[in-house]
Amino acid sequence: MPESRSGRAHTARPVRVLDPAIGSRRRRLATLLADMVPGARTIRVSQREPGRTWPSPYARAYDVQGSLVALNRAQGRTVARWVMRVHPEVNWNEVYDLDLATGVLRPAAKAYAFADGTR
């Protein structure tokens, strides 16, 4: 190995490699959820169901106009669990929106800020 000016050998720095499957897994999830909930454009996921005091995976679906798309209890729980498993790095004490067209997960507060196209 060539030596540096200080006389010490160069050491290789660890390379941070991103898993290419992560992006495809998220897109695949969005595609599966779009098939599971026809007409839905956005899935809102949280750890707390409204009206409950204990944590429980919860999801609601909305169409392009922002109208609520009906989910039965099993669909809501399954959708929420799938999203939480694909995004384990997220703090699920907050509410998040999954855009089914792009597969992007973002905090619901940001979705409200950009709902009319402005900040």
Side-chain angles (χ1 to χ4, degrees), residues 13-110:
R13 293 185 183 172
V15 177
R16 186 174 170 197
V17 179
L18 297 176
D19 185 5
I22 289 175
S24 64
R25 190 177 332 141
R26 291 177 179 170
R27 283 190 299 273
R28 225 178 19 219
L29 173 68
T31 303
L32 287 171
L33 293 179
D35 289 341
M36 185 176 169
V37 186
R41 170 64 188 250
T42 304
I43 303 281
R44 180 160 291 164
V45 181
S46 68
Q47 184 67 16
R48 300 238 182 233
E49 185 174 346
R52 307 274 177 156
T53 56
W54 58 87
S56 176
Y58 183 73
R60 285 186 174 177
Y62 298 93
D63 63 8
V64 177
Q65 287 83 23
S67 300
L68 189 64
V69 175
L71 294 177
N72 63 34
R73 184 177 175 157
Q75 282 177 319
R77 288 245 170 118
T78 302
V79 166
R81 286 179 180 157
W82 286 3
V83 172
M84 288 177 180
R85 287 181 183 158
V86 170
H87 298 276
E89 73 283 356
V90 174
N91 175 12
W92 287 108
N93 291 327
E94 302 294 325
V95 180
Y96 288 86
D97 286 343
L98 176 68
D99 186 348
L100 296 181
T102 62
V104 174
L105 184 75
R106 65 176 183 235
K110 286 187 180 180

